[in-house]
Amino acid sequence: MNPKLIRELQNLLGRDAVLSAREDLLLYEYDGSVESARPDCVVFPSSTRDVSEIMRLAKRFETPLVGRGAGTGLSGGALPRAGGIVAVFARMNRILEIDAESRRAVVQPGVVNLDITRAVAHLGLYFAPDPSSQKSCTIGGNVSENAGGPHTLAYGVTTNHVTGLEIVMPEDGRVVRIGGKSAEPLGYDLAGLMVGSEGTLAMVTEITVRLSRAPEAVKTLLAVYDAVDDATESVVEITRRGITPAACEMLDGWTLRTVEDFVHAGFPRDCAAVLLLEVEGLLEAVDEQAAEISEVCRARGAREVRVARDAHERDLLWKGRKNAFGAIGRLSPSYYVLDGVIPRTRLPETLRRIEEIGRASGFRIGNIFHAGDGNLHPLILFDPRHPGEFERVVAAARAIIEHCIAMGGALTGEHGVGMEKNELMPLMFTPEDLTLMGRVRAAFNSDGLLNPQKMLPLGKGCGELRVLPQSVGSALPA
Amino acid sequence: MNQNPSGTQVARLEQLLGGARTITDSASLAAYEIDGMRPAAAVRAADAAEVAELVRLAAAEGLAVIPCSGRSKLAVGGVPARYDVALDLSTLNRVISYDPGDLTLSVEPGAQLEDLQRELGRHGQFLPLEVAFSERATVGGAIATNAYSPLRTHFGSARDFVLGMEFVTGLGEIAKSGGRVVKNVTGYDLHKLLIGSLGTLAVITRVHFRTFPRPAERRVFTAEFGTARAALEFCSEVAASALEPWALELLDPGAAEISRLAAQSGGDARGWRVVIAAAGSAAVVERHARDLERMAREAGAARVEAWTGAEAARCLRAIREFARLVLERAPGATIIRIALLPTSSAALAERIAGIADSHSLDAALAIGAAGSVGTGYVALWPRSEKRAEASGTSAVAASASSADAATDDETASLAAAVKEVLESAVSDGGAARGFVEWCPTALKRRIPLWGEAREDFVLMQRVKQIFDPRGVLAPGRYCGEL
């Protein structure tokens, strides 16, 4: 990287806010995905003004620029695929305002997702989107990827909880505020466009989020099955009856045993699948819905339906769910978490298909996912030290994603496209769709310096920076 | 101003779509008038491919196209910069797929909302889009105007339950975004830009919705208060409680009269009224009844009533049809739609009567999701305006013609009052977030309907450039005359 750029960045931010030594950069070449890409330089802005100046420097030196929160993303969204500068938002982590009456908080992008809830819990409020990584992931990353989580089934994903943004434009570092505390857009819904744009249109420096009222009552149920089909059929029936649980998660038997060995949550070790269900709201509604869900699960073959007796039991069940990936990490040198969506009624056949693909490819595929909204997370275990294995994993993953699309589903439900699936976009979109999306990116990010080579297929982007991706070898986790 | 298309251009349209689907006689075209402007032709397209061909032809010939279907909200938006062709999508009205088990629906823009709700109702489901002009309103119009629905309090607006769209851009490209599944973050959410864009970016050809289960029971509660302050305090308390009302509307005395709610429930004509819809199981509705009754009494309500069946439906209709009822009462009314925070709601409620008085206007105020972040509707009309014949569907046409009747003085008072209303409802960021949804053409020419341009206007211009660089689609109708 141009040493003059590094010097200018140091002058702007101070020496302690700029990393360029190789050993320092190593920390930033991964995120939660199986990809990697090394930045040439990492900077830590402290203010919107800093971000604006960094943007101007990137433009002047024609250097790619990528935003990064906690680096927990699962599609390579925060990886600098074409090198350049990574701007880490760790120092922009203040909650600027809490407006309890309007149920809004104004926060900086580096605020950790769960810290928003912690800051407003005493007011009986919380921030609804709850990705599994919520203890570490940041709201800036959530906004970029339009993150989800188990409870988005009833409450929607990040985009449904963001009403305003302050953004910095790539062409000249200009700061623009879009939306506000109101949910009613005045003019085109630019906030709706920005959320989920994967950091390819502008850099977000401030976010106005909607806060939800904590429910009066919560009930958490665990339905235990001896056959996967019975579990998936239960989900179909719950959906069909118009019951909307706050969350409806499924874990298959193998995943469950692995999790249980790790967290000791009291999950049964001898079942084929469990559904972890939660209902929230008024006492009356919660009681009725819990009863109806139990009835459906039993009628569909659940051998047991447990109801968490208190907050401790509930937390334990959720701890199992939220730490599942960590538990599996203890067993396998590496794993690939997929993210695909199907119409909910197609769950039974889809899980059977995933099992077939696992058998045919010789990989263990675990299933732990948001069953209620058809958002699958097949988890393929593999060993990157075996030559050719990663390529076979990618092929198996592709077969699963192709099945999702064939069912009328989508490429990604919450992890984003990033550099993981940008070449799969034509499975879902026509050349005309992609051309239009390319025009959108070019109109906001005309030099293609902001998060290049993400979301759209390479060679499709107007104004896309033409830099070859790093070699496949370096994309493998060590 | 409006350079009429030549005979050759009209002939080309006829060639493209066939004579039967090209309307050129002036009597039929009157129904497509906007702000006194009549298009040279109205055309009906059978599918997205035809829409695309038509838009490409229009782009090549330099014709301006305004999409429409039920035509109940054509008066919403700025005076068209040009208007050559009305693209009537009312025959593009098929349900493409409906999967009740999955609670998803794909439908064409011309589908009438009432028909659709009936179809969904057969499967115990519905769409939370209960908008004004219900018997004419279509999916396309409700989405393109981001029409207000009182159920927003609980279900959010279209952006929260539209899963994706297919559309034709101003360049005649057939494109889509989003998908048909309930959770999806693949690609840019372009369809969100189309919601409320008044057809200025693309012609919507298909909308994918999430549907919702119908509740076992619905009940409506009305509470009457002597002052705006007491009514708003009650609303705030309900909003802060564990209750989950589907609709929570505050009506000032003017709105209560216009919606005939005052007549339905009796009571003091000067009272402020809160209308709350509760839905769910019998036990849930009972719980609402118990808590609301108690909270209303404690807040000093003069009367609290519960309505079921046809009477409950009438209450809900009154709030969803607010704009239409105002326009029936006063065809030349100006109706402002404002995003309100709890603090700005209080300020507006307190000042509205004074503002109207000082300009010799009558006023009506309705606030949806009152007590939290809500939507306010302020209607203003000259006190001198005669009561219109209740004529239902002709309200829009009447509104257009009465525009000519308004005097310059009246228009000036309206302009001044609109400014004051917006100033009294300052929201975050130091300005009101509101726009004039309905008003006479004379006022449209006098004030910027969306207020002064904001810093994000440059981005909106960019969006318009992406979708419709040649200015084919509804030019001049949107925010900042985009």
Side-chain angles (χ1 to χ4, degrees), chain A residues 99 101-104 145-150 152-154 156-157 159-162 167 169 171 174-198 200-201 208 210 213 215-216 236 239-244 280-285 288 339 341-346 370 372-375 377 405 407-417 425 428-430 432-433 435-441 443-445 455-456, chain B residues 56 99-104 123 125 146 148 152 156-157 159-161 167 169 171-190 192-198 200-201 210-213 236 238-245 280-284 286-288 290-291 337-343 371-376 427-429 432-435 450-451 454-469 478-479 482:
Chain A
D99 178 352
E101 201 185 12
S102 304
R103 283 203 216 143
R104 294 292 186 272
E145 302 297 327
N146 195 6
T152 55
L153 173 56
V157 292
T159 192
N160 306 108
H161 299 272
V162 169
I167 57 175
M169 300 305 299
E171 74 266 20
R174 173 205 313 237
V175 179
V176 184
R177 304 190 77 90
I178 56 182
K181 283 182 184 171
S182 156
E184 181 113 40
L186 193 60
Y188 299 133
D189 184 5
L190 295 167
L193 172 66
M194 289 296 157
V195 178
S197 62
E198 305 194 1
T200 63
L201 300 182
T208 304
R210 185 198 302 275
R213 195 191 47 224
E216 173 181 86
V236 172
T239 309
R240 187 173 288 142
R241 288 215 191 176
I243 308 169
T244 307
E280 295 185 354
L282 286 180
L283 275 169
E284 291 82 353
E288 287 168 352
D339 172 40
V341 191
I342 50 157
R344 300 169 274 194
T345 44
R346 315 304 283 271
H370 314 306
D373 42 26
N375 187 188
H377 293 316
I405 302 295
M407 296 284 98
L411 280 182
T412 163
E414 55 184 12
H415 294 178
V417 175
M425 287 288 273
M428 204 170 145
F429 293 107
T430 65
E432 273 190 328
D433 301 336
T435 301
L436 180 61
M437 289 189 193
R439 280 215 304 276
V440 171
R441 183 171 61 185
F444 286 87
N445 178 14
M455 189 193 274
L456 299 176
Chain B
R56 279 197 292 268
D99 186 347
D102 208 45
L103 291 98
T104 52
H123 298 272
Q125 297 180 5
N146 197 13
Y148 178 71
R152 265 188 191 201
S157 62
R159 81 194 289 280
D160 297 306
F161 48 84
F167 48 85
T169 68
L171 291 174
E173 302 152 301
I174 299 178
K176 65 174 175 295
S177 67
R180 290 179 293 141
V181 280
V182 295
K183 196 172 177 188
N184 175 16
V185 297
T186 320
Y188 297 123
D189 267 1
L190 302 181
K192 288 204 168 72
L193 294 169
L194 305 192
I195 297 171
S197 68
L198 298 181
T200 55
L201 296 178
R210 168 180 206 156
T211 61
F212 296 83
S236 301
V238 174
S241 76
L243 299 181
E244 293 166 353
S281 68
V284 165
E286 239 353 276
R287 164 77 185 277
H288 278 83
R290 224 169 35 240
D291 288 10
R337 175 161 152 188
I338 317 175
L340 293 170
L341 303 183
T343 43
S372 49
V373 175
T375 304
S427 188
D428 59 316
R433 299 183 61 80
F435 68 99
W450 276 264
R454 291 155 181 269
E455 61 190 66
D456 60 357
F457 183 64
V458 54
L459 302 187
M460 294 196 198
Q461 285 175 308
R462 224 173 268 184
V463 168
K464 173 75 176 174
Q465 274 295 314
I466 295 165
F467 280 85
D468 181 27
Y478 198 52
C479 186
L482 286 170

Side-chain angles (χ1 to χ4, degrees), chain A residues 311-338:
Chain A
H312 173 70
E313 282 193 14
R314 183 167 68 241
D315 289 348
L316 210 52
L317 290 176
W318 277 109
K319 194 175 154 200
R321 166 63 184 91
K322 294 219 169 183
N323 290 310
F325 293 163
I328 286 157
R330 304 196 319 158
L331 279 193
S332 173
S334 194
Y335 59 84
Y336 182 14
V337 188
L338 276 177

Side-chain angles (χ1 to χ4, degrees), chain A residues 227-240:
Chain A
V228 172
D229 272 0
D230 292 344
T232 50
E233 292 289 354
S234 298
V235 175
V236 172
E237 183 59 21
I238 288 167
T239 309
R240 187 173 288 142

